[in-house]
Amino acid sequence: MQKKIQLLLVVLGFIIVGTLNTHGQKKQKDNEAADLKTSPKLVVGIVVDQMRYDYLTRFWNHYGEGGFKRLVKDGFNCKNNHFNYAPTSTGPGHTSVYTGSTPAAHGVIGNNWYDKDQGESVYCASDDNYASVGTTSDAGKMSPHRMNVTTITDELRLHTQMRGKTIAVALKDRGAVLPGGHTANAAYWFQGADEGNWITSSYYMKQLPKWVNEFNSSDAVEKYKIPWNTAKPINSYIESGIDNNSYEGLFETETTPTFPHSTPNILNKKKDFDILKYTPYGNTITTNFALAALDGENLGMDSETDFLAISYSSTDYIGHKFGVNSKEIQDTYIRLDADLQLLLNTLDRKVGKEEYIIFLTADHGAIDVPAYLSSQKIPAGYFEYDEISPKLDEFLKYKFGTTNIIKNFSNYQFFLDHKVIKNLDIDLAQAQEIIANELLNYKGIDRAYTGRQMIQNNYTDGIPYILQNGYNQKRSGDVLIVLKPGVISYPKTGSTHGSPQIYDTHVPLLFYGKGIPKGSTSVRTEIPDIAPTISSLLGISFPNGTTGKPITEVLD
């Protein structure tokens, strides 16, 4: 009897252990499935046009707790984030963020570039095959057709069988069209002129939705045709230069570039709405329209992940006009911080505090005004192609017997006429090298590389690496030049960008929201890493031209 009881207890033990093991294995499998991805209701991609990384740190004490500080403190901060290609400009920047690749793969090699097949300059988002929607002008004739690969927004749409929505919003057409990808439900941009309306292209729809028409017919834009004064006492803006200086541009009728900015065109509520782009109100209008899209499109309201792409363009317009050291730039970022707080608070309320993911980055950085740098005894200056052109023409006539060997100069690239070179019975690589070597003798030029070098070599760091990532074999030129650090081709007032130098490549990268750990890293990250990181978080395919790598610290 006792042996039977012992045997029964052993059998029961095996059954209990087996049951526990089965339960444990099921729980482990459930956990593993949960670890495969995070499932936010909404992803919000934010690109701040022309935002240098040091705008985070420089203006930190002026920011509130609910905007930039919230993203940094409660999210993940990549402190050493860089563009790994040039030219560093808006079209390539937005495309690279969303495709996880560089111009070498995605093909958007500039805002505009010389098309070797057409023999003329083309714009990165223009497309005459489509009509404007919401305006009688040509401002809506746009599409993403020049972008050769898919975007993170495309892959999310494909993953959800097109049930997840993608809406892209920006003052600039290219800031909306390129992030929206090939499959966006809509991309909207701002038509200033004497209209002040949000418009789109027939690529997306035949007519504007009701909510857009309602926004356009309201006073949502006109009410910002008001004087621009500082949000805080101007004497507290000690992180920027003096207000009245010779390094900044002027609005019409102004005699000094000083606050308050209150000119006739700024105040006129019936015309010149383009001027709002050059004030921080352009960013606020963008935020308000993005929030209208949140409601109008019911984003983040169901189980399918939606995507809202927002690009803040006014930061770029203001940087170009006033420069990175201006009171205007400081005030713009203080006001943008308030816009971000409004955006985050609204997402908390309407989508759910733990139900969305945000990433924030920039499409390029910017240089301080060279004239100002020179006044501080820092090497800097200006490059004018017209100044070197006569000397270069003289050299070309001497060496090749003609100046027709060069067809175009743009984006710091020389495009050669291959037919002329062939007729002269000259090897193309040799012609490239001869011209590159000559250009090294000219003032302001630091380096010169040939297309043959870009194609044949495998650069892994430094300036050549950056140039090679920006070099598209079908679209790029024959000879590439790099200006000296601190040297730009631009007017004497305001800042610009486009170079492979570090002031143009170092930009913020913040991740925040569902599934994002708190923390930071000083390990180098690169712009093409953003899309595969978001893809990994969502458990979807990488964009099909991806060259970046997921940022493991964000995924851990």
Side-chain angles (χ1 to χ4, degrees), residues 213-512:
N213 285 324
E214 289 176 349
F215 190 96
N216 285 339
S217 62
S218 71
D219 68 345
V221 173
E222 285 82 357
K223 70 182 181 181
Y224 289 105
K225 294 279 272 180
I226 55 177
W228 175 16
N229 211 338
T230 54
K232 295 182 176 183
I234 195 169
N235 59 7
S236 70
Y237 288 11
I238 61 173
E239 295 81 9
S240 48
I242 61 172
D243 193 27
N244 190 7
N245 63 75
S246 59
Y247 313 118
E248 302 177 12
L250 301 171
F251 285 116
E252 89 289 350
T253 76
E254 284 186 334
T255 56
T256 60
T258 54
F259 282 105
H261 297 290
S262 182
T263 65
N265 281 5
I266 288 179
L267 300 179
N268 194 316
K269 298 183 185 296
K270 294 186 177 180
K271 68 175 186 177
D272 192 15
F273 290 96
D274 276 323
I275 205 167
L276 288 173
K277 299 174 182 179
Y278 294 86
T279 76
Y281 305 133
N283 290 331
T284 303
I285 292 167
T286 301
T287 302
N288 293 338
F289 186 75
L291 293 178
L294 188 71
D295 287 337
E297 298 291 344
N298 293 313
L299 300 178
M301 294 296 112
D302 57 28
S303 59
E304 299 287 0
T305 301
D306 296 322
F307 203 114
L308 176 60
I310 306 172
S311 177
Y312 287 108
S313 307
S314 286
T315 43
D316 183 70
Y317 288 110
I318 294 166
H320 277 295
K321 191 173 190 67
F322 295 100
V324 306
N325 196 46
S326 62
K327 300 289 188 194
E328 284 78 5
I329 274 290
Q330 179 161 0
D331 190 66
T332 296
Y333 277 88
I334 290 171
R335 290 177 179 272
L336 177 59
D337 182 62
D339 289 328
L340 290 175
Q341 179 171 319
L342 172 63
L343 175 65
L344 288 165
N345 288 344
T346 305
L347 291 172
D348 288 346
R349 188 172 70 256
K350 294 190 174 181
V351 180
K353 199 167 186 178
E354 298 297 327
E355 295 298 337
Y356 62 90
I357 288 175
I358 284 179
F359 69 81
L360 182 148
T361 188
D363 57 348
H364 51 75
I367 187 176
D368 217 327
V369 180
Y372 168 71
L373 294 176
S374 294
S375 74
Q376 302 301 310
K377 300 179 181 179
I378 295 173
Y382 295 88
F383 172 83
E384 296 289 345
Y385 178 68
D386 289 345
E387 292 182 2
I388 73 164
S389 184
K391 182 180 176 183
L392 180 58
D393 284 348
E394 186 178 331
F395 170 80
L396 295 175
K397 286 180 181 178
Y398 168 76
K399 197 71 180 177
F400 301 105
T402 178
T403 61
N404 293 334
I405 197 169
I406 292 179
K407 295 182 73 173
N408 179 265
F409 175 69
S410 55
N411 293 314
Y412 302 107
Q413 299 180 22
F414 288 88
F415 292 78
L416 305 186
D417 191 321
H418 293 195
K419 289 183 180 179
V420 170
I421 292 172
K422 186 176 181 180
N423 289 338
L424 291 173
D425 198 25
I426 301 171
D427 179 69
L428 176 60
Q430 184 182 8
Q432 291 176 349
E433 187 175 353
I434 289 170
I435 294 171
N437 288 336
E438 170 65 16
L439 289 166
L440 288 174
N441 299 315
Y442 295 4
K443 182 181 177 182
I445 296 177
D446 190 48
R447 306 173 186 220
Y449 296 88
T450 67
R452 179 60 63 90
Q453 286 176 297
M454 294 293 107
I455 293 172
Q456 288 192 338
N457 297 332
N458 181 29
Y459 300 109
T460 57
D461 56 28
I463 297 293
Y465 164 75
I466 293 174
L467 293 180
Q468 190 171 52
N469 284 330
Y471 190 87
N472 185 277
Q473 291 190 22
K474 285 194 170 184
R475 294 180 175 177
S476 296
D478 293 280
V479 179
L480 295 73
I481 62 170
V482 178
L483 302 183
K484 292 180 178 179
V487 175
I488 62 173
S489 179
Y490 199 69
K492 299 296 174 67
T493 59
S495 295
T496 193
H497 49 85
S499 80
Q501 307 293 354
I502 201 162
Y503 41 73
D504 284 340
T505 69
H506 189 197
V507 298
L509 176 55
L510 307 175
F511 293 92
Y512 172 89

